[in-house]
Amino acid sequence: MSNEFETVVGLEVHCELATRTKLFCSCPNRFGDEPNTNVCPVCLGLPGSLPVLNEAAVEMAMRIGLALHCEIRPSVFHRKNYFYPDMPKDYQISQYDAPICVNGWLELPDGSKVGIVRAHLEEDTGKTTHVGSTGRIHDASYSLVDYNRAGVPLVEVVSAPDISSGQQARQYVSELRAILLATATSDGKLEEGSLRVDANVSVRRKGSDELGTRCEIKNLNSLRSLARAIEYESERQADLIRQGLEVVQETRHWSEDEERTVPMRSKEEAFDYRYFPEPDLVALVPGEQWIERVRGSMGMLPEERRKRLIEAIVRPRSSSEPTTSHISQAESDAEKSSDETPAEAVLSHVAKVVELGLDDLVIAAIELGADRRIAVMRAVNEAAADPERARHIEAGHFAKLIEMEHKGRISATQAKTILARMLEGDGEDPETIAAKEGFSALSRDELVEVINSVISANSDAWQRFVSGDQAVGKFLVGQVMKATRGRADGRAVMELLTARNEG
Amino acid sequence: MSSLDTEPPSASEQISVEEVIHVAKLARLQLSEEEVKTFTDQLASVLRYASQVAALDTATVEPTAHPMAMVNVFREDLPRPGLNREEVLDQAPAVEGAFFKVPRIVGEE
Amino acid sequence: MGEWSALAISQGVRDGELKAVEIAEETLSRIETNDPLLHAFLHVSPELALKRAAELDERIAKGEDPGRLSGVPVALKDNLCTRDMPTTAASAILDGWIPPYDATVVSRLKESGAVIIGKTNMDEFAMGSSTENSAFGATRNPHDPARVPGGSSGGSAVAVAASLVPLALGSDTGGSIRQPAALCGVVGMKPTYGMVSRYGLIAFASSLDQIGPFAATVADAAVLLEVIAGHDGYDSTSLDRQPPSLLDQLDRGVDGLKVGVVSELLEGADPAVAVQVRLAAETLANAGALVEDTSIPVLTYSLPAYYLLAPAEASSNLARYDGVRYGLRVDAPDVESMNSRTREKGFGAEVKRRIMLGTYALSAGYYDAFYLQAQKVRTLVINGFSAAYESYDLLLSPTSPTTAFPLGSRLADPLSMYLSDICTIPSNLAGHPAMSIPFGTDDDGLPVGVQLMAPALGEAVMVRAAAVLEAAESHLSGQQRRDEDEQ
């Protein structure tokens, strides 16, 4: 986007709650079951049925609200009236002018804050599958409806228009997702639709206080489409204004294939939802004690956990730490240098470690004296393959593995293999695994011998390396790794090659 | 206070044919021309009568949505088996396989 | 057959002196004889009733006690869901629908040993005051078949009035139990809102609907209410308290009770009706109550407020009849037309009128002036009652301003029909209990009902006064009959 305009985005995120049952009935809240099997008189909207509120859903809404620094307020359910075949009662029970959570904010990893206008409870609709006509436009195409999802509890989180780019929108949703996971309120899966994002996008001339005409963008099924749709849409609106045209307020659809937003075909009918208080439900008035009990039951939030992890990473080693019991002084000196150099690179992975829920493991390993860089890298790369199991790895084992790699007793490649074994969950100690696999790093003499034979077998490459072609160094390292079947440490090989060249 | 036969300071003296047609659309009722005409007259008469509510001063009055003031009625989050699918689909006007079947939805992408 | 009362039947069946099967057979035969003219029933289940009765007799023979309504035939208004019988709310849109579940009141009746005989006629979706708005034909008043039985629970009122069954259930949103009870000369009671679970009652206006009993006697009505009342976890608006104890209150009399006769509700009544209300007041005074006239001016706004609130809720409650999941569908090339054609064909004129009215009252631009203002008037009505109940234990009024009117006489003018409920609606707005007790007749011998109203949860005091009026009424009508015989 050119300099003259700025983008203004507000997001509406629907989060499906991870309750066992639906919002107003006892049907299982489960994704992927056979169609129309999790249904009862209530969620099918049969005549005579009545809703009864799920207490767990209310507590989850409160947890989300508290995590977003919202005020938890007395609230009322309303009926939102409109006809749609996937809505069994042809009205949706939602919260209108008295939502349960209001006035909060969400802090992004970069420190910026996005205001939260409200977060409210409502019921989901069923799922409609459109069976398209093949060929003829006026052909009798039809739709199929599955009500398993009808009545599943949702919390809709509405942000203030504080977001200024696709990238920031992406961060906002990632952070919201991290909060949902940390508070165990939703599985936050965009692909399965348990997290659904709509973006209200407008642009304005820089420095202006007035909001431009906004368009609502739907069908944002991934973080990537969210960011791209916002970039595309703000560019489209800016173009219109530049050409002296007006932005029309409308709902647009993100077309994944065409990589652009297109207006939704909608009927001329103006929406008039005729909200009124739901007479079948009573007011929801969370008392101070209840709110405090919920607050007390909440785990640490991503924001706090990131801060804690950063502290652990940057904290200087003190002599009182058990570090020395594991690592000799000389080694610890060596560690310091490796520890300090890539600080920034390591810190850039903090959010990811927290998102994976591996911060406890990394912090524990660091406290046991493990190398910080290696601990973080193994967590975000290898352990990420199965974070659920990785969370159950014993911190002592993880620290030991990192120490073995760091001291050069095993190579990085071998360390990764051992970690993969550890993720299989037999609880085996990394040294045992290393012994079973026959892993040990090569001694310096053995390594020099291999390097010599690689050089003589690839004299051309060696000559190019000597004459300054750094790229070919990688090839030589690769040859050494191949010859040692991964027992060599790549960095050590490169150091030896360089030393030999310089020597 | 006025009695029943007092003509109220009406908020809407009458309802127009256009409004009746609009409301019928909102309510998904495909009224016949005849019905539109009859309803326009009848609704106007009922609304004139109902407009009497405007005569009361309610500036400081809270609305009542529920006759009995109750709060916080909940259900435990315990799953129970629902209805048998065959029994449910049996009552439907049209089904295909395990689904309820409806005609084309206009205005969909 | 001996005494046709629920208490007598249940006692006889439990004692083994009567057989539930014989009672059921007698009931079915009465229906077969009389219902072709009256059309109180939309559905009768002889096989189910006889099978059920036989089971009860077996259990009793084994020494079991099936419950307080053992072997008592009960008729249900057709807006109460029954999993083994069709439930239509007298609408073509639900023709043939068999619910996959029982309403809570139906389960409670079954648990207490009652025998469900069938489903009774009503105004479609309980919208009406004459039972002429049924998609399946009108019900006739047994006192004069050319007249309406009142409504909307006309079928249940007639089933009891014609002694087809001793007990029936109805629902009351604006007087739909009390007004037909008055027009048919039986006892009809609307309990406190939340006293009886609404789960399984096809909703008309959720914040006003309440299920209640019809019976020939106050005692029978009391026992039926005791059986169906009480907290239900499937209804969020159900009161969390023990069901009331009523039967043991009936002989306590009214000595020392204060009763107000509401002048606003007496004003528009036919003289023949007003006379009976005055007589009822006198009867209570003679029995030791302190009776005086009182005024609650705001009650005159109840009817206009009701005709905004009830249709508004109804317009939303009836949206679900869209031709997708159950009931009627009229085919069309797209969903919107399918919905609109289905609803156009499936709903009767009165239902459409109220859906239109309610949709309008809730729509953008009119919400504040109509719906919200009506909700505030509702508050004022409640306040008006509260002030009155500071001075009185009970209030007395006519149930209906007129006795039974001729079939067809009010169909052309909806407003004239709506005015039938002018005395009953205030208690629905307030959520308070109220009941109609037969008290004398007009010059044509048509029954007159008087209404007793009580504050929330005041059923026990209410039935005490009802029992006093009932005793006097049977004495009076006995007197009347003797007078007539002498002439």
Side-chain angles (χ1 to χ4, degrees):
Chain A
M1 178 108 97
S2 69
N3 297 336
E4 53 184 319
F5 292 102
E6 62 186 6
T7 305
V8 179
V9 180
L11 294 179
E12 290 170 13
V13 183
H14 285 88
C15 320
E16 267 183 10
L17 298 183
T19 49
R20 297 175 65 196
T21 66
K22 294 184 179 182
L23 187 53
F24 297 118
C25 66
S26 303
C27 285
N29 167 15
R30 214 161 39 212
F31 181 81
D33 280 4
E34 282 290 301
N36 293 309
T37 50
N38 297 330
V39 293
C40 75
V42 178
C43 58
L44 278 176
L46 295 191
S49 65
L50 296 170
V52 184
L53 183 57
N54 182 345
E55 186 167 17
V58 174
E59 289 212 358
M60 286 186 188
M62 286 162 71
R63 292 221 286 271
I64 293 171
L66 291 170
L68 296 172
H69 312 279
C70 287
E71 197 185 320
I72 308 299
R73 295 261 301 262
S75 62
V76 173
F77 286 93
H78 275 67
R79 290 189 186 173
K80 181 181 185 181
N81 295 286
Y82 65 100
F83 284 85
Y84 204 88
D86 65 13
M87 207 164 49
K89 302 182 292 298
D90 288 298
Y91 58 80
Q92 181 193 30
I93 305 178
S94 180
Q95 296 189 316
Y96 178 51
D97 55 5
I100 181 163
C101 313
V102 292
N103 296 332
W105 44 268
L106 177 61
E107 187 177 327
L108 302 186
D110 67 5
S112 63
K113 280 185 185 175
V114 175
I116 302 294
V117 177
R118 58 186 284 160
H120 69 255
L121 272 164
E122 63 184 29
E123 57 179 341
D124 207 344
T125 60
K127 243 180 194 159
T128 312
T129 312
H130 306 296
V131 181
S133 54
T134 44
R136 292 167 298 171
I137 289 165
H138 56 275
D139 196 15
S141 62
Y142 57 93
S143 299
L144 297 175
V145 195
D146 168 15
Y147 292 106
N148 278 351
R149 201 182 66 181
V152 161
L154 296 175
V155 163
E156 181 179 348
V157 179
V158 181
S159 88
D162 292 347
I163 297 167
S164 57
S165 70
Q167 196 46 43
Q168 198 188 5
R170 192 179 170 141
Q171 279 175 20
Y172 169 89
V173 175
S174 300
E175 186 60 14
L176 181 58
R177 194 174 161 274
I179 284 177
L180 297 173
L181 295 177
T183 51
T185 48
S186 175
D187 65 13
K189 289 181 184 159
L190 271 132
E191 325 74 52
E192 285 183 8
S194 55
L195 209 60
R196 276 166 261 159
V197 185
D198 297 333
N200 286 303
V201 181
S202 65
V203 298
R204 65 180 168 204
R205 291 201 185 271
K206 275 208 173 129
S208 163
D209 287 339
E210 272 174 55
L211 287 172
T213 305
R214 65 192 167 87
C215 290
E216 188 180 2
I217 318 294
K218 291 187 178 286
N219 193 41
L220 303 168
N221 296 327
S222 67
L223 290 177
R224 186 176 162 276
S225 9
L226 169 67
R228 295 177 80 96
I230 290 171
E231 300 306 340
Y232 173 87
E233 179 61 19
S234 44
E235 204 52 65
R236 185 187 72 86
Q237 294 182 11
D239 277 348
L240 285 174
I241 297 169
R242 275 191 217 103
Q243 291 166 39
L245 299 169
E246 294 217 339
V247 176
V248 181
Q249 181 163 349
E250 62 187 353
T251 302
R252 299 176 69 87
H253 180 94
W254 171 246
S255 167
E256 198 74 59
D257 302 337
E258 301 169 74
E259 294 247 318
R260 65 193 191 97
T261 65
V262 290
M264 302 257 281
R265 272 193 297 139
S266 69
K267 287 168 280 129
E268 289 308 304
E269 181 185 328
F271 284 101
D272 184 347
Y273 293 125
R274 290 161 282 134
Y275 282 99
F276 74 102
E278 165 59 283
D280 290 330
L281 291 169
V282 302
L284 171 53
V285 184
E288 212 34 57
Q289 275 190 325
W290 189 15
I291 296 172
E292 287 317 309
R293 187 162 53 74
V294 171
R295 199 194 300 275
S297 73
M298 284 169 49
M300 215 185 283
L301 296 172
E303 185 190 321
E304 299 167 66
R305 286 165 51 187
R306 284 195 301 269
K307 284 181 182 149
R308 191 179 60 137
L309 179 57
I310 291 168
E311 271 169 35
I313 291 171
V314 302
R315 188 193 307 137
R317 297 262 189 231
S318 76
S319 52
S320 64
E321 279 183 70
T323 321
T324 44
S325 66
H326 281 270
I327 299 169
S328 72
Q329 195 53 48
E331 282 163 344
S332 125
D333 285 344
E335 184 198 354
K336 245 180 223 159
S337 62
S338 101
D339 228 17
E340 279 155 16
T341 15
E344 236 169 80
V346 172
L347 289 176
S348 72
H349 294 295
V350 160
K352 179 82 177 163
V353 174
V354 169
E355 200 188 312
L356 291 166
L358 296 176
D359 43 332
D360 282 342
L361 180 67
V362 169
I363 290 170
I366 290 175
E367 278 169 1
L368 289 170
D371 177 273
R372 299 150 203 230
R373 182 189 65 84
I374 299 175
V376 168
M377 296 319 290
R378 289 295 156 266
V380 294
N381 294 324
E382 287 71 41
D386 191 347
E388 184 58 43
R389 285 205 161 145
R391 266 172 243 143
H392 293 101
I393 291 177
E394 253 183 66
H397 288 176
F398 190 57
K400 183 78 197 166
L401 173 72
I402 290 158
E403 183 196 328
M404 286 159 67
E405 180 186 346
H406 184 238
K407 279 200 216 158
R409 285 170 45 203
I410 52 172
S411 70
T413 311
Q414 289 170 337
K416 290 172 189 176
T417 308
I418 294 174
L419 186 50
R421 291 274 183 289
M422 288 164 72
L423 284 177
E424 283 162 17
D426 302 333
E428 265 186 333
D429 170 291
E431 283 183 319
T432 314
I433 299 172
K436 277 190 186 166
E437 296 283 333
F439 286 170
S440 60
L442 296 172
S443 73
R444 202 178 166 86
D445 292 348
E446 286 172 302
L447 191 54
V448 169
E449 208 169 293
V450 176
I451 288 175
N452 286 340
S453 61
V454 165
I455 288 175
S456 39
N458 299 280
S459 50
D460 284 1
W462 174 247
Q463 282 313 315
R464 275 168 33 221
F465 182 68
V466 170
S467 54
D469 185 350
Q470 289 294 315
V472 85
K474 275 198 180 153
F475 166 76
L476 293 168
V477 172
Q479 292 303 305
V480 174
M481 299 303 283
K482 203 173 157 192
T484 61
R485 272 168 302 157
R487 286 170 69 214
D489 183 80
R491 275 212 280 177
V493 174
M494 188 52 112
E495 273 167 29
L496 284 169
L497 286 171
T498 311
R500 188 181 161 125
N501 181 24
E502 283 164 2
Chain B
M1 216 166 283
S2 69
S3 70
L4 275 180
D5 51 7
T6 312
E7 206 54 48
S10 171
S12 85
E13 273 303 326
Q14 55 192 26
I15 179 168
S16 67
V17 168
E18 290 70 32
E19 278 177 306
V20 167
I21 291 169
H22 171 71
V23 169
K25 203 168 157 60
L26 277 178
R28 297 260 161 117
L29 289 169
Q30 191 173 296
L31 300 182
S32 65
E33 265 178 55
E34 187 58 37
E35 278 176 311
V36 169
K37 227 174 115 239
T38 321
F39 282 174
T40 306
D41 293 344
Q42 289 175 336
L43 292 180
S45 140
V46 175
L47 283 168
R48 246 193 318 277
Y49 176 70
S51 297
Q52 286 182 80
V53 295
L56 289 177
D57 179 6
T58 55
T60 59
V61 180
E62 287 295 316
T64 294
H66 276 285
M68 307 299 278
M70 291 164 73
V71 298
N72 296 346
V73 174
F74 301 118
R75 178 177 61 74
E76 255 192 284
D77 189 22
L78 292 174
R80 279 190 220 215
L83 293 170
N84 174 286
R85 181 166 70 192
E86 278 56 52
E87 194 179 6
V88 167
L89 292 177
D90 242 20
Q91 299 284 325
V95 296
E96 183 170 295
F99 296 91
F100 293 84
K101 186 178 174 183
V102 295
R104 185 166 57 98
I105 302 171
V106 179
E108 274 295 292
E109 281 302 314
Chain C
M1 193 61 49
E3 200 192 335
W4 194 244
S5 90
L7 285 169
I9 290 170
S10 167
Q11 195 58 53
V13 169
R14 285 159 109 182
D15 291 347
E17 286 160 17
L18 289 174
K19 291 279 173 242
V21 168
E22 286 165 20
I23 300 291
E25 282 167 347
E26 170 68 17
T27 305
L28 293 167
S29 123
R30 289 183 185 200
I31 292 171
E32 206 181 321
T33 311
N34 298 294
D35 209 47
L37 170 68
L38 299 175
H39 195 223
F41 283 88
L42 291 180
H43 178 86
V44 182
S45 280
E47 300 81 12
L48 281 174
L50 292 170
K51 182 166 166 269
R52 163 96 176 138
E55 282 165 14
L56 291 165
D57 285 335
E58 268 175 48
R59 287 176 58 193
I60 288 161
K62 277 191 248 163
E64 289 176 38
D65 180 2
R68 301 182 66 198
L69 295 180
S70 292
V72 179
V74 181
L76 302 174
K77 188 176 182 179
D78 201 36
N79 57 358
L80 296 167
C81 287
T82 42
R83 67 166 305 142
D84 43 18
M85 295 179 203
T87 301
T88 67
S91 180
I93 214 160
L94 275 177
D95 196 5
W97 183 59
I98 301 179
Y101 75 109
D102 274 336
T104 298
V105 290
V106 174
S107 308
R108 290 190 177 169
L109 283 174
K110 288 181 176 174
E111 285 158 17
S112 69
V115 176
I116 314 280
I117 289 293
K119 309 296 287 288
T120 60
N121 201 7
M122 56 186 283
D123 285 300
E124 183 180 3
F125 285 104
M127 297 176 187
S129 309
S130 68
T131 315
E132 291 167 292
N133 295 333
S134 166
F136 309 111
T139 297
R140 292 168 184 274
N141 193 315
H143 297 273
D144 177 356
R147 292 176 186 266
V148 303
S152 65
S153 315
S156 285
V158 170
V160 172
S163 296
L164 307 183
V165 287
L167 295 179
L169 285 181
S171 67
D172 190 316
T173 307
S176 281
I177 291 174
R178 291 162 287 160
Q179 186 258 12
L183 270 50
C184 291
V186 296
V187 176
M189 200 190 308
K190 180 201 94 74
T192 303
Y193 185 83
M195 172 83 70
V196 179
S197 169
R198 292 184 295 118
Y199 189 74
L201 165 66
I202 297 182
F204 162 15
S206 314
S207 78
L208 301 156
D209 295 342
Q210 194 57 189
I211 299 168
F214 283 97
T217 66
V218 176
D220 273 5
V223 71
L224 180 51
L225 179 55
E226 285 183 10
V227 164
I228 61 170
H231 182 253
D232 178 22
Y234 284 97
D235 176 358
S236 308
T237 62
S238 162
L239 296 170
D240 195 3
R241 53 166 50 235
Q242 289 296 312
S245 183
L246 302 176
L247 215 46
D248 57 7
Q249 301 292 311
L250 296 183
D251 53 6
R252 284 190 57 195
V254 291
D255 194 21
L257 290 184
K258 290 186 214 154
V259 181
V261 181
V262 186
S263 47
E264 284 80 8
L265 303 185
L266 204 51
E267 268 167 21
D270 281 358
V273 172
V275 164
Q276 295 300 327
V277 174
R278 286 296 172 200
L279 271 175
E282 222 172 275
T283 304
L284 293 174
N286 290 340
L290 178 76
V291 185
E292 58 188 34
D293 282 4
T294 187
S295 170
I296 314 174
V298 72
L299 294 193
T300 55
Y301 291 91
S302 300
L303 191 64
Y306 174 88
Y307 274 98
L308 294 169
L309 296 174
E313 291 185 20
S315 71
S316 172
N317 282 333
L318 270 63
R320 68 190 64 190
Y321 306 101
D322 59 4
V324 175
R325 291 158 299 277
Y326 42 79
L328 182 76
R329 171 184 293 189
V330 177
D331 283 319
D334 64 89
V335 157
E336 185 177 350
S337 319
M338 184 276 280
N339 292 158
S340 303
R341 290 186 201 172
T342 299
R343 292 163 63 77
E344 168 63 12
K345 180 147 192 277
F347 289 139
E350 181 60 25
V351 171
K352 286 185 220 170
R353 203 149 38 225
R354 298 214 196 176
I355 290 175
M356 293 287 293
L357 188 56
T359 304
Y360 181 79
L362 287 174
S363 66
Y366 298 106
Y367 183 90
D368 285 1
F370 286 124
Y371 184 76
L372 189 64
Q373 178 70 3
Q375 279 194 321
K376 291 177 172 180
V377 170
R378 189 172 187 181
T379 308
L380 293 175
V381 167
I382 293 172
N383 294 346
F385 270 124
S386 301
Y389 286 126
E390 279 175 23
S391 312
Y392 303 104
D393 299 298
L394 295 170
L395 297 172
L396 181 70
S397 78
T399 306
S400 162
T402 67
T403 52
F405 44 91
L407 283 158
S409 62
R410 295 188 186 172
L411 281 178
D413 179 5
L415 197 52
S416 74
M417 186 73 90
Y418 298 172
L419 289 165
S420 313
D421 295 333
I422 197 153
C423 299
T424 45
I425 279 171
S427 299
N428 295 90
L429 291 180
H432 293 167
M435 67 191 291
S436 181
I437 304 104
F439 204 81
T441 59
D442 68 5
D443 297 342
D444 299 326
L446 293 169
V448 171
V450 296
Q451 179 177 233
L452 285 166
M453 292 170 274
L457 305 169
E459 279 86 351
V461 178
M462 190 170 79
V463 294
R464 280 165 59 188
V468 167
L469 292 177
E470 180 178 53
E473 212 272 343
S474 59
H475 175 72
L476 276 177
S477 47
Q479 187 66 50
Q480 231 164 29
R481 270 195 299 276
R482 277 190 296 279
D483 292 349
E484 282 162 17
D485 288 347
E486 280 165 25
Q487 282 169 8

